[in-house]
């Protein structure tokens, strides 16, 4: 593949191939010299129009472990702040030698537009666009689940419950698409104001009671961050009321089976959507998700930039 802007661009086979590659590349992180020469001579630009810590650093480490040169550009420090268009920015970066542009943008569809318009020959990787998609987050979540699931290939039959602010979550959308592609059963659960109409068409069942959803004994519970920065109104009564109905608190934690896994894409609002006890529980895979993010992004960058873009 040349670009990755959406999970929809993957087939089941190509997704599994990426996960297999990421699993192999994860071993690089355990070596004394954490570096491969695979992308030596290539330049990766992290172009972030939204603040990010873990995703940008994860892509930076991934590119450096493959020996690529890395440039980080934020909107505040670039000519974008002076009114430059996305097209002009991309073409400037290409003229400076960018082989891949990792783009985070507040507008849904921006990476797709950049990849499709022919404004640049660079590979485009979506690092999160609006409330649309975050494909590498979904891939790292799938890799994390696959490492603890019975199957080492796909996630067939796995029951995953995604809880919280579905409306603003690009993570939820990419995960629904990918988990379905890999054979998992997905249920989304949240207050009615934070579950968009029509999202079941992506391949998930919907419920509005966290406690009832837990009674169905999911294999994994994925908690979502409340995205206050994207909220233009009141979506719940109060933080206390949200925590009462939707937090993975101590009481709900005690109802999980011993082998039920807990995921969160981060950053976590401890005490709001997840308690500190749940975040630090032995069933929590949060830190494994972070570590797997580097391996998945290595696999994606390598796939996009090697062999002329062929898988």
């Amino acid at each position: 593949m040349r670009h990755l802007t959406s999970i929809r661009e993957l087939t089941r086979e190509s997704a599994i191939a990426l996960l297999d590659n990421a699993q192999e590349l994860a071993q690089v992180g355990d070596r004394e010299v954490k570096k491969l020469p695979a992308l030596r001579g290539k330049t990766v630009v992290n172009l972030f129009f939204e603040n990010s810590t873990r995703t940008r650093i994860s892509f930076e480490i991934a590119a450096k472990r493959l020996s690529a040169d890395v440039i980080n550009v934020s909107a505040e420090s670039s000519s974008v702040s002076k009114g430059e268009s996305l097209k002009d920015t991309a073409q400037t970066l290409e003229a400076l030698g960018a082989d891949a542009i990792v783009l985070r943008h507040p507008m849904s569809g921006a990476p797709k537009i950049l990849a499709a318009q022919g404004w640049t020959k660079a590979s485009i990787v979506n690092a999160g666009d609006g409330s649309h998609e975050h494909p590498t987050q979904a891939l790292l979540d799938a890799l994390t689940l696959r490492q603890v699931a019975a199957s080492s290939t796909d996630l067939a039959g796995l029951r995953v419950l995604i809880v919280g602010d579905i409306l603003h979550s690009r993570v939820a959308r990419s995960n629904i698409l990918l988990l379905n592609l890999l054979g998992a059963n997905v249920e989304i659960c949240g207050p009615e104001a934070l579950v968009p109409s029509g999202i079941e068409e992506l391949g998930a069942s919907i419920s509005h009671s966290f406690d009832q959803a837990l009674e169905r004994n999911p294999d994994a519970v994925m908690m979502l961050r409340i995205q206050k920065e994207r909220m233009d109104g009141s979506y719940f009564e109060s933080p206390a009321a949200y925590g009462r109905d939707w937090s993975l608190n101590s009481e709900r934690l005690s109802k999980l089976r011993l082998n039920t896994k807990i995921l969160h894409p981060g950053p976590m609002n401890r005490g709001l959507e997840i308690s500190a006890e749940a975040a630090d529980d032995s069933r929590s895979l949060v830190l494994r998700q972070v570590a797997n993010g580097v391996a998945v992004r290595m696999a994606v960058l390598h796939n996009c930039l090697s062999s002329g873009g062929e898988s």
Side-chain angles (χ1 to χ4, degrees):
M1 65 186 184
R2 183 181 166 201
H3 310 291
L4 179 61
T5 66
S6 167
I7 291 298
R8 295 181 189 276
E9 295 161 2
L10 300 176
T11 62
R12 179 181 177 277
E13 289 71 25
S14 63
I16 289 174
L18 274 174
L19 295 177
D20 288 343
N21 194 11
Q23 186 63 52
E24 293 178 7
L25 290 168
Q27 299 173 21
V28 176
D30 299 326
R31 294 166 40 169
E32 183 175 350
V33 178
K34 299 177 176 60
K35 222 170 180 60
L36 294 174
L39 296 184
R40 184 177 293 160
K42 301 289 187 181
T43 299
V44 175
V45 178
N46 293 323
L47 179 59
F48 277 53
F49 289 77
E50 288 183 326
N51 293 329
S52 168
T53 301
R54 70 187 63 215
T55 301
R56 184 190 60 75
I57 292 175
S58 181
F59 269 108
E60 182 175 356
I61 293 174
K64 288 181 174 177
R65 284 193 178 167
L66 294 171
S67 300
D69 296 318
V70 182
I71 299 170
N72 295 311
V73 181
S74 64
E76 292 82 3
S77 62
S78 74
S79 293
V80 171
S81 63
K82 303 173 185 175
E84 186 175 70
S85 69
L86 180 60
K87 173 184 177 181
D88 289 336
T89 299
Q91 291 181 335
T92 298
L93 294 175
E94 180 180 304
L96 291 171
D99 297 292
I101 297 174
V102 177
L103 180 63
R104 169 166 285 199
H105 202 284
M107 185 182 79
S108 296
K112 184 71 172 180
I113 292 171
L114 191 55
Q117 290 297 318
W119 295 334
T120 174
K121 296 177 183 175
S123 293
I124 307 300
V125 178
N126 183 359
D129 59 328
S131 49
H132 177 226
E133 277 213 50
H134 197 345
T136 58
Q137 177 69 44
L139 284 163
L140 75 87
D141 290 340
L143 178 63
T144 303
L145 287 171
R146 203 174 73 158
Q147 289 171 343
V148 297
S151 171
S152 60
T153 302
D154 58 20
L155 299 177
L158 198 76
R159 294 167 298 163
V160 181
L161 175 64
I162 303 176
V163 183
D165 183 2
I166 310 293
L167 178 65
H168 302 100
S169 178
R170 50 201 176 203
V171 172
R173 286 166 178 78
S174 284
N175 262 297
I176 293 170
L177 292 170
L178 182 59
L179 289 168
N180 268 284
L181 197 62
L182 297 174
N185 300 310
V186 185
E187 178 177 355
I188 58 175
C189 186
E192 291 189 14
L194 289 174
V195 177
S197 61
I199 195 164
E200 66 273 16
E201 295 174 5
L202 297 182
S205 59
I206 298 175
S207 64
H208 296 295
S209 169
F210 193 3
D211 293 308
Q212 290 179 12
L214 288 179
E215 291 175 0
R216 290 186 277 276
N217 293 321
D219 297 299
V221 177
M222 182 182 297
M223 303 304 299
L224 298 176
R225 182 175 68 88
I226 290 294
Q227 301 191 37
K228 297 176 183 174
E229 73 277 14
R230 300 186 194 281
M231 294 183 177
D232 55 3
S234 179
Y235 289 85
F236 47 86
E237 180 182 336
S238 66
Y242 186 89
R244 179 193 63 215
D245 295 334
W246 299 104
S247 173
L248 184 56
N249 54 25
S250 299
E251 182 180 352
R252 294 190 177 100
L253 181 67
S254 68
K255 296 178 181 177
L256 297 185
R257 293 180 303 165
L258 293 177
N259 59 349
T260 299
K261 303 304 180 185
I262 301 166
L263 293 92
H264 192 300
M268 295 183 286
N269 294 312
R270 289 178 181 242
L272 183 52
E273 72 264 3
I274 189 169
S275 67
E277 184 182 3
D280 299 330
D281 190 85
S282 60
R283 291 164 289 186
S284 171
L285 300 176
V286 173
L287 293 180
R288 187 188 284 219
Q289 289 175 270
V290 176
N292 281 335
V294 174
V296 158
R297 283 150 186 152
M298 289 173 73
V300 170
L301 289 172
H302 183 260
N303 197 299
C304 288
L305 290 175
S306 63
S307 304
E310 296 297 326
S311 298

